[in-house]
Amino acid sequence: MDESNKMGFLGATSYVIGNIIGSGIFITPASILRNVDSIGLSLLIWVLCAVIAILGAICYIELGTSIREAGCDFAYICYVKWYSIAFAFMWVSVLMTYPATIAICAETFGQYLIEGLKQILATVAKLFSCLLIIGTGFYFYFVKGWHGYLENPMQGSKYGTGNLILGFYGGLWAFSGWDVLNYSTGEIKHPKRNVPFALLTGISVVTAIYVAINVAYFVVLDVESVKQSDAVAAIFSRETLGDFANIIPFLIGILLIGSLNSNLFSGSRYMYAAARQGHLPACFSCVNGETESPRVAVLAQSILALLISYIGDLDTLITYVMFGFWAQRIFSLVALLIIRHNHIPVHPDAVRVPLFCIYLFLIITVALVIIPIFYEFQSTALAIAICLFGFVLYYIFIHKAIFPRWLVALNRKVTLSCCILFDCLPDVKGGVQLLASDSSQALLSERLSSTRLSDDSLPDLHSDEKNIMRRNGSAAGLKMLISSVPSSLVDLISDVQ
């Protein structure tokens, strides 16, 4: 990728802040309170969730700078050759986790719209919305003297293990997105320097905003009012801002549009990485040469999000999402420990973090996955079932790369159609068969060598001896690719016919 198209420190930091601050802070206060029943305990959970997010970000700094492949957890698990596990979680993520994340943002946007009936700029809009709420709440606390709801913050607290874990799920959902830079480290300038600073700066800013917003909520609203609404900020604004309250839902709507963009970025890159590895149909690896966007994957994630939004209420969707995310992270962390223990070569500019951080985050992650199985089995059973079905599909189709002829032909035709409709070309790894004929495969190998979303990445997850090599993507090669797209498509069409 051309250096001019990469994000610097400010862009990466704003992307972290913009990706984290989304629907979570406006719906999860109610979700947390429904589980723990007290203001004080909910605020404590918010702070601890921030600590967990920072700990996770520290661990993922090493993963992201060591394995510079698009796809985040999928790429990390594939790096140690656990392809069946990567495929199973990819199946869950593509079908449920990422679409559900987008669906939550979309549903929250709809609720706020009814109530009220590029990236750095979107982040400014988000921060303005949050600061407006914070400023209003603190005004009523210090100037108006509204202290009543904060006088006994721990009253009514529920300390049951299940209540606490599900409360953490709500808080961690609001902090999810701290790993957004890991989905395409190759799109960031000087990742060894910018990734760690952007992650830690972004999470610190978000933590301060989240705690302040929750305090502002509880200055004005009692526990029951918050528990009964999934549009807390709208109720807050009606109680405090009078006629001006109508603007809050629309500001939050702008905020959520930015979150939809960030979540589509993460989900589509994950889908792209899986297709590039040969674990999904090749059409999902199609990348536009000019914008370097995986257009087909973006559309597919949007359609899946629309469908999954009908599955259940927001609390159920949050449980689906968090269980899928955290279960996958267990294997990413174990993969990192194996890389460390076996001295598997990684990128020469990788950042190494203290081992105790990795072990501590792994223990927390295991607890967040195991305990909800016993307390919310119905919600977690769907993710488990889809994951197990993914294992079956992997060993039937992917493991030995045996596909029925009709499926190969369908894959070829769909990929060709997507190339034409979306003005893009497939980007598959060496050894992944896209088209039936050798001439078509050779053509793609020549044409696509410079279309990597992770051009600063390691070239081949299948080959340990190549892990320390670097790609040589160039702007000249990209221009040559763009100028030759029409002839490439013509050649592909002729070959298929």
Side-chain angles (χ1 to χ4, degrees):
M1 179 182 287
D2 189 351
E3 284 291 319
S4 62
N5 292 329
K6 293 185 176 182
M7 290 185 287
F9 169 73
L10 180 60
T13 302
S14 68
Y15 216 86
V16 172
I17 296 172
N19 195 54
I20 296 177
I21 298 179
S23 59
I25 188 57
F26 303 109
I27 60 175
T28 53
S31 178
I32 294 173
L33 274 180
R34 281 193 284 265
N35 285 291
V36 301
D37 262 351
S38 78
I39 294 173
L41 191 52
S42 70
L43 291 175
L44 180 60
I45 285 178
W46 279 104
V47 174
L48 292 177
C49 285
V51 173
I52 293 173
I54 291 173
L55 185 61
I58 290 172
C59 296
Y60 271 64
I61 285 169
E62 177 165 348
L63 281 165
T65 57
S66 298
I67 307 168
R68 301 189 183 184
E69 282 283 341
C72 197
D73 294 289
F74 178 83
Y76 308 150
I77 297 172
C78 281
Y79 196 82
V80 292
K81 303 184 185 298
W82 293 344
Y83 301 119
S84 60
I85 296 174
F87 181 89
F89 280 110
M90 176 276 297
W91 191 252
V92 176
S93 297
V94 166
L95 286 183
M96 186 178 71
T97 305
Y98 288 107
T101 302
I102 299 167
I104 292 169
C105 290
E107 284 195 26
T108 308
F109 171 79
Q111 288 176 351
Y112 275 97
L113 191 63
I114 292 171
E115 287 282 344
L117 199 80
K118 244 130 151 178
Q119 185 60 35
I120 293 178
L121 293 177
T123 301
V124 171
K126 292 185 177 193
L127 293 177
F128 177 74
S129 304
C130 295
L131 291 175
L132 181 60
I133 294 173
I134 292 169
T136 303
F138 279 54
Y139 170 80
F140 275 83
Y141 183 84
F142 289 107
V143 178
K144 295 286 189 177
W146 290 23
H147 305 154
Y149 298 134
L150 294 173
E151 289 180 353
N152 298 300
M154 303 304 290
Q155 183 177 354
S157 297
K158 294 181 180 178
Y159 295 99
T161 303
N163 297 103
L164 293 175
I165 291 296
L166 293 176
F168 273 107
Y169 263 26
L172 290 170
W173 156 252
F175 277 98
S176 63
W178 49 260
D179 58 349
V180 64
L181 300 184
N182 292 69
Y183 286 88
S184 202
T185 310
E187 297 182 57
I188 302 170
K189 296 177 182 177
H190 311 298
K192 184 176 182 178
R193 180 191 66 196
N194 286 335
V195 169
F197 283 114
L199 283 173
L200 295 178
T201 302
I203 295 173
S204 299
V205 170
V206 171
T207 300
I209 291 173
Y210 276 10
V211 173
I213 283 181
N214 274 277
V215 171
Y217 284 156
F218 295 126
V219 167
V220 176
L221 303 174
D222 65 298
V223 171
E224 291 303 319
S225 297
V226 175
K227 285 168 62 175
Q228 293 172 10
S229 175
D230 286 323
V232 181
I235 298 175
F236 172 88
S237 61
R238 283 203 305 267
E239 294 288 333
T240 58
L241 298 177
D243 293 336
F244 188 65
N246 293 327
I247 198 174
I248 292 292
F250 294 102
L251 288 174
I252 293 173
I254 295 172
L255 180 157
L256 293 175
I257 290 173
S259 296
L260 285 170
N261 172 57
S262 298
N263 287 313
L264 276 173
F265 173 88
S266 302
S268 61
R269 265 59 178 185
Y270 191 99
M271 202 171 195
Y272 155 83
R276 187 168 173 257
Q277 187 74 31
H279 288 189
L280 283 177
C283 63
F284 298 120
S285 74
C286 289
V287 177
N288 176 261
E290 184 176 356
T291 63
E292 300 186 8
S293 170
R295 292 180 172 180
V296 183
V298 171
L299 177 62
Q301 285 292 293
S302 301
I303 293 173
L304 287 170
L306 179 64
L307 295 175
I308 205 169
S309 63
Y310 294 99
I311 285 181
D313 58 25
L314 289 173
D315 284 354
T316 303
L317 287 175
I318 289 172
T319 304
Y320 289 152
V321 169
M322 296 311 297
F323 183 83
F325 273 140
W326 289 92
Q328 187 170 220
R329 283 172 179 152
I330 291 176
F331 292 94
S332 295
L333 293 169
V334 173
L336 178 57
L337 291 173
I338 289 176
I339 290 171
R340 282 280 201 99
H341 182 267
N342 295 341
H343 304 289
I344 297 175
V346 293
H347 197 282
D349 290 332
V351 175
R352 293 173 69 88
V353 302
L355 270 175
F356 81 86
C357 292
I358 302 173
Y359 281 112
L360 179 58
F361 188 56
L362 178 59
I363 292 170
I364 293 171
T365 304
V366 170
L368 288 170
V369 171
I370 298 298
I371 294 175
I373 293 176
F374 298 99
Y375 287 90
E376 286 288 328
F377 181 75
Q378 185 175 356
S379 297
T380 58
L382 178 60
I384 295 172
I386 295 176
C387 188
L388 292 175
F389 185 60
F391 275 107
V392 174
L393 291 178
Y394 177 84
Y395 283 104
I396 291 176
F397 295 110
I398 307 298
H399 182 57
K400 295 184 179 180
I402 299 175
F403 300 95
R405 286 190 175 183
W406 67 267
L407 192 58
V408 174
L410 179 63
N411 180 47
R412 183 172 66 248
K413 291 178 180 179
V414 171
T415 301
L416 179 60
S417 299
C418 289
C419 288
I420 298 170
L421 291 173
F422 294 92
D423 186 21
C424 55
L425 285 175
D427 176 14
V428 293
K429 290 190 174 184
V432 176
Q433 289 297 313
L434 170 63
L435 300 175
S437 70
D438 293 335
S439 60
S440 295
Q441 196 70 31
L443 173 65
L444 285 174
S445 298
E446 293 175 4
R447 299 295 188 188
L448 301 178
S449 60
S450 61
T451 63
R452 302 289 184 256
L453 287 179
S454 305
D455 54 47
D456 193 31
S457 306
L458 308 173
D460 188 356
L461 295 180
H462 292 275
S463 176
D464 286 339
E465 62 270 18
K466 296 179 182 178
N467 284 340
I468 58 174
M469 296 173 62
R470 303 284 295 276
R471 288 196 180 97
N472 293 315
S474 66
L478 180 59
K479 291 176 181 177
M480 180 182 70
L481 170 71
I482 296 171
S483 64
S484 64
V485 165
S487 63
S488 300
L489 292 179
V490 171
D491 290 339
L492 287 174
I493 294 169
S494 300
D495 187 79
V496 171
Q497 291 175 340

